[in-house]
Amino acid sequence: MCRIFGYIGPEKVADCVLREVSNLQLAGGPDQQSFKHGTGWAIGNNRLSIVDLDNGEQPYELGEHISVVFNGEIYNHEALRGELEQKGYAFDDHCDGSILPAMYFEYGKDFVRYLDGMFAIAVVDTRNESHTLLLATDPIGIKSLYYYWDETKRAFYFSSELPSLLGFENIPKNLWLQGIDSYLTTKAIFGERTMFEGIYTIPASSLLEIRPGTCPEISKWKTYLTATKPIEGFEASSQSLLSYLTNEVNELLKADVPISTLNSGGLDSSLITAIASKHKKGIHSFNIAYEGDWPFDEKAFAREVAEKNGTIHHQVIIDPKEFQNIIPQVVKQLGQPNADPITLSTYSLFEAINQAGFKVAVSGDGADEMFGGYDRYKEAMSCMGDWIRPYVDSLGAINQSSRESLYSNDYKAYLNEKGRMGKAIEEKLRREKGNRLDTILEFERSYRLPNYHLRRVDHLSMAHSVEVRVPFCQPRIVDFASQLTDDERIKGEQVKRILYRSAEGLLPHSVLHRKKQPFTLPINAMMRPGLPLFTFIQEVLDHDTIRNQNLFNVETIDLLMHQQAHQPSDKTALALWSVMMFQLWSAQFGVSIGSHSAKEEVLI
């Protein structure tokens, strides 16, 4: 696990700049820093050593012409190394990434199709007169890769984290103006855009190729790793799923450092913890809760799971009175706004895991998107009329009508000209020809899961030098899930039916037979007059700043604060939280709300 960065262009980037870029994402790879450059290019990495701790120095090289830096884990590296050795390749170590130059030399751009893991990879190939930089992302988008293309200078820069990318000189920090509507419509920025004008993220399962003087070209690729679903029926399929999941968890437990699990007390993480404990004795499981008595407290369920499976259980308790001290660090590590308050809990949880001496945690993230676990899926399936508009509205930090009242008149006029994200998502969904549930889950796997969910987990875990492994996002599990029928996923009031069936006997009755609770931070209860979070938000939502930005309506924000003080609700609390996170981000990164590109671009 590492962080990577680099550039290709006509001018040399000074070594001091490369070191600064590296230092800005040092927490994601504190064990080793290195970079290599040639004429018009450089690549570098920060290493978090997980496999073959004494070796694995990057860049990995094959001869004089192929150099690779890599962020992630290749779980099938031993099998691939054996195949390559039979073809005549030799290796000096057993690090998972050391096979990558040989894989690229042997299979060209198709090399990624053989890889079982999570990754962001950069390859420099100087065999031809015009050298090539190739960037690759994993099938589901677990590992982020950001880039900026300077069309004037014909220079290209990339990095694993946004603050690090901004460490390259002369990358502008301009606001992508439509991004505000995008953010409030979906709680994050979906697709290839970021909140910075001109800075993009490489989508999941993509290759970006660039040569000196040419524009970057992005193409998609498909993995060779697939799964077979039995045709005998629901029971056979549930057992087959458990078998696949058991194999994946077993593979993800391999490392040369201690491994822990996340255990929220819900189905997904509890099942991962149960499977892991059967394959590895002495598993440490971590749960987070809040000091005091708050809604959605699941620590009792997490403890039951730990006791049933014999894990060494860590109960992490954080004090909501300290949240205002955490928020700026969370904003910095994310690099752009995320409207889910759970970011604070996520950040604190991984801090505790690091302090307990762990570099790896296995989580249950992604199960809802694979097997149909959210109430919005169930509601869309039961809707007799137009399901698309209510579904899109359910994604937002603020619903459509409230967003319109929140925006300033000038910003609404701008959106009338340029277009709104909600409308773009609706149109995209209406164009799809598949059945309703498949359409929803494919959209969420392609957009919401990587951009809103996995990116948050990746950035906030690596802020504390912790690697998160996600069995439910493994290619074979994704492929298996895509073959399921509607009834195997959702039937009536039952969600994730096949996963619940697979977990029978492995988890306590209390976990399997209770209503699903959101894994969230109860900010409505915590954002009340007299509590630190309410005061903090009042201070951040400064009238003069908001008027100068001319993006939001000051009177509407005042009304929201009054409502939260006198008639508090989840809806009002999340609206205020979302605007606050944007304000903190724009101030912390010194974002300019000045000139903007006139170029028309697809929103999603």
Side-chain angles (χ1 to χ4, degrees), residues 261-365:
T261 69
L262 306 184
N263 177 13
S264 72
L267 169 66
D268 311 331
S269 62
S270 297
L271 180 55
I272 295 301
T273 297
I275 294 172
S277 68
K278 292 187 180 303
H279 288 269
K280 199 176 186 74
K281 297 299 181 184
I283 283 284
H284 289 247
S285 60
F286 286 80
N287 173 261
I288 193 161
Y290 316 110
E291 192 170 290
D293 185 18
W294 305 101
F296 310 122
D297 190 339
E298 296 184 290
K299 61 178 178 285
F301 300 109
R303 186 167 295 281
E304 277 192 73
V305 171
E307 290 173 352
K308 180 176 176 61
N309 292 283
T311 69
I312 301 167
H313 190 58
H314 300 253
Q315 183 62 69
V316 180
I317 302 291
I318 56 175
D319 187 351
K321 294 178 181 177
E322 298 299 319
F323 282 156
Q324 67 270 22
N325 300 322
I326 300 172
I327 293 172
Q329 278 300 313
V330 169
V331 171
K332 176 184 175 182
Q333 293 298 330
L334 289 173
Q336 58 182 335
N338 182 303
D340 194 338
I342 200 63
T343 52
L344 301 191
S345 307
T346 305
Y347 181 86
S348 300
L349 177 61
F350 289 117
E351 182 178 38
I353 290 172
N354 170 276
Q355 291 173 350
F358 291 89
K359 283 186 171 183
V360 178
V362 186
S363 85
D365 294 309

Side-chain angles (χ1 to χ4, degrees), residues 466-604:
V466 175
E467 168 186 297
V468 177
R469 299 180 175 185
V470 278
F472 286 115
C473 294
Q474 283 289 94
R476 291 185 181 90
I477 301 297
V478 176
D479 187 56
F480 185 96
S482 69
Q483 301 175 54
L484 296 173
T485 65
D486 287 358
D487 282 354
E488 288 173 323
R489 294 172 289 196
I490 297 176
K491 188 174 183 180
E493 291 298 307
Q494 294 179 300
V495 296
K496 280 190 296 196
R497 290 186 66 234
I498 193 168
L499 195 61
Y500 274 100
R501 186 68 189 92
S502 297
E504 287 285 350
L506 295 174
L507 299 178
H509 183 276
S510 61
V511 173
L512 288 172
H513 301 280
R514 68 183 179 94
K515 181 175 174 58
K516 176 181 172 65
Q517 290 182 196
F519 179 51
T520 189
L521 184 75
I523 56 164
N524 179 27
M526 296 176 177
M527 192 191 298
R528 302 289 173 86
L531 296 178
L533 195 56
F534 187 89
T535 304
F536 181 76
I537 290 177
Q538 273 186 316
E539 293 172 354
V540 171
L541 300 182
D542 172 70
H543 282 194
D544 290 341
T545 300
I546 292 170
R547 285 196 179 96
N548 289 336
Q549 289 172 336
N550 194 22
L551 301 170
F552 301 110
N553 186 316
V554 173
E555 287 73 25
T556 299
I557 291 176
D558 282 345
L559 177 61
L560 290 170
M561 290 299 302
H562 183 269
Q563 288 174 342
Q564 185 61 22
H566 299 282
Q567 295 177 305
S569 69
D570 291 345
K571 175 181 173 182
T572 304
L574 184 57
L576 289 166
W577 177 274
S578 304
V579 178
M580 176 202 71
M581 293 299 280
F582 169 80
Q583 296 296 339
L584 287 173
W585 168 79
S586 62
Q588 187 165 130
F589 284 91
V591 178
S592 171
I593 312 179
S595 60
H596 303 282
S597 171
K599 184 169 60 175
E600 292 291 335
E601 297 191 54
V602 176
L603 282 173
I604 193 166

Side-chain angles (χ1 to χ4, degrees), residues 449-466:
L449 178 60
N451 294 286
Y452 164 74
H453 198 79
L454 296 176
R455 189 170 295 165
R456 162 173 54 84
V457 172
D458 177 45
H459 290 345
L460 298 182
S461 62
M462 292 295 271
H464 298 294
S465 306
V466 175

Side-chain angles (χ1 to χ4, degrees), residues 121-140:
I121 301 169
V123 181
V124 172
D125 185 346
T126 62
R127 285 178 291 177
N128 300 319
E129 289 184 11
S130 179
H131 50 270
T132 301
L133 171 66
L134 181 70
L135 304 178
T137 54
D138 64 63
I140 207 73

Side-chain angles (χ1 to χ4, degrees), residues 191-479:
E192 300 177 35
R193 302 298 301 252
T194 72
M195 194 66 100
F196 292 99
E197 178 77 35
I199 297 179
Y200 296 82
T201 182
I202 303 177
S205 197
S206 293
L207 294 169
L208 185 150
E209 190 172 10
I210 184 168
R211 296 178 178 84
T214 67
C215 295
E217 296 180 359
I218 294 182
S219 59
K220 303 293 285 186
W221 63 274
K222 288 187 177 181
T223 181
Y224 285 140
L225 305 174
T226 58
T228 302
K229 178 184 176 298
I231 59 174
E232 290 87 351
F234 183 72
E235 291 299 324
S237 292
S238 67
Q239 290 306 306
S240 182
L241 171 58
L242 181 60
S243 177
Y244 273 116
L245 194 56
T246 299
N247 290 338
E248 296 294 352
V249 172
N250 195 31
E251 286 298 307
L252 271 59
L253 291 175
K254 295 177 180 178
D256 295 331
V257 296
I259 290 184
S260 62
T261 69
L262 306 184
N263 177 13
S264 72
L267 169 66
D268 311 331
S269 62
S270 297
L271 180 55
I272 295 301
T273 297
I275 294 172
S277 68
K278 292 187 180 303
H279 288 269
K280 199 176 186 74
K281 297 299 181 184
I283 283 284
H284 289 247
S285 60
F286 286 80
N287 173 261
I288 193 161
Y290 316 110
E291 192 170 290
D293 185 18
W294 305 101
F296 310 122
D297 190 339
E298 296 184 290
K299 61 178 178 285
F301 300 109
R303 186 167 295 281
E304 277 192 73
V305 171
E307 290 173 352
K308 180 176 176 61
N309 292 283
T311 69
I312 301 167
H313 190 58
H314 300 253
Q315 183 62 69
V316 180
I317 302 291
I318 56 175
D319 187 351
K321 294 178 181 177
E322 298 299 319
F323 282 156
Q324 67 270 22
N325 300 322
I326 300 172
I327 293 172
Q329 278 300 313
V330 169
V331 171
K332 176 184 175 182
Q333 293 298 330
L334 289 173
Q336 58 182 335
N338 182 303
D340 194 338
I342 200 63
T343 52
L344 301 191
S345 307
T346 305
Y347 181 86
S348 300
L349 177 61
F350 289 117
E351 182 178 38
I353 290 172
N354 170 276
Q355 291 173 350
F358 291 89
K359 283 186 171 183
V360 178
V362 186
S363 85
D365 294 309
D368 290 306
E369 290 84 356
M370 300 306 148
F371 302 105
Y374 291 121
D375 283 346
R376 61 178 175 273
Y377 304 158
K378 181 176 63 178
E379 290 162 4
M381 293 298 290
S382 62
C383 183
M384 301 302 291
D386 177 21
W387 63 270
I388 291 179
R389 184 161 295 176
Y391 163 74
V392 174
D393 221 23
S394 72
L395 299 173
I398 305 171
N399 64 32
Q400 182 178 349
S401 61
S402 298
R403 287 197 302 274
E404 290 300 307
S405 65
L406 178 64
Y407 296 151
S408 70
N409 289 334
D410 285 345
Y411 188 57
K412 281 188 283 189
Y414 174 84
L415 293 176
N416 289 339
E417 177 187 352
K418 295 292 187 179
R420 288 165 168 77
M421 175 56 78
K423 186 67 173 177
I425 296 175
E426 285 184 34
E427 291 173 353
K428 179 176 180 59
L429 294 174
R430 294 188 197 284
R431 290 194 298 268
E432 298 300 321
K433 304 301 181 185
N435 78 38
R436 187 177 299 185
L437 186 55
D438 285 336
T439 294
I440 292 171
L441 295 184
E442 177 59 28
F443 172 78
E444 296 227 355
R445 291 170 192 164
S446 299
Y447 294 97
R448 188 179 184 275
L449 178 60
N451 294 286
Y452 164 74
H453 198 79
L454 296 176
R455 189 170 295 165
R456 162 173 54 84
V457 172
D458 177 45
H459 290 345
L460 298 182
S461 62
M462 292 295 271
H464 298 294
S465 306
V466 175
E467 168 186 297
V468 177
R469 299 180 175 185
V470 278
F472 286 115
C473 294
Q474 283 289 94
R476 291 185 181 90
I477 301 297
V478 176
D479 187 56

